[in-house]
Amino acid sequence: MFTMKPIDHRSLLATAVPVHVDIGVAPSLPSEGFVRLRSIIAPAGPLPIGRSTLWEWVKLGKFPSPVRLGTRVTGWDVRQVRAFLTNPQNWQAHNG
């Protein structure tokens, strides 16, 4: 029988490369503009993390900050997201 161990996302924050990023999914992101949270995180997005983990990474400077697009709407510059997905360590070194 196969059992899955729970993932401690807080321990992932301490690593240099937070998680394995599936670059094959990144082409589904637009080439320019802004993307919403659901386009970035699992299950539809390329990052296999949850909402609270992403917001924690933003707070710690490990992921690009969002841009307020309206009173109740935030989005991420897709160029910054693509830069992060291409090389998370390099993005952190230059932006962290």
Side-chain angles (χ1 to χ4, degrees):
M1 175 185 242
F2 178 75
T3 58
M4 293 181 62
K5 294 181 182 177
I7 297 174
D8 180 12
H9 292 291
R10 297 205 188 278
S11 66
L12 291 174
L13 291 172
T15 61
V17 179
V19 293
H20 170 73
V21 177
D22 185 3
I23 299 300
V25 180
S28 66
L29 294 174
S31 58
E32 58 185 41
F34 296 92
V35 290
R36 301 289 306 276
L37 180 67
R38 66 181 164 265
S39 300
I40 300 171
I41 61 172
L47 283 176
I49 61 172
R51 174 187 312 259
S52 59
T53 301
L54 182 95
W55 284 111
E56 183 72 20
W57 289 358
V58 168
K59 180 180 173 184
L60 295 173
K62 294 181 178 250
F63 192 78
S65 295
V67 177
R68 181 146 315 262
L69 302 173
T71 47
R72 296 181 55 184
V73 180
T74 57
W76 280 261
D77 184 336
V78 75
R79 292 172 298 185
Q80 289 183 0
V81 173
R82 284 183 174 277
F84 176 86
L85 293 173
T86 303
N87 190 345
Q89 288 177 328
N90 192 34
W91 187 90
Q92 286 179 273
H94 288 82
N95 299 292

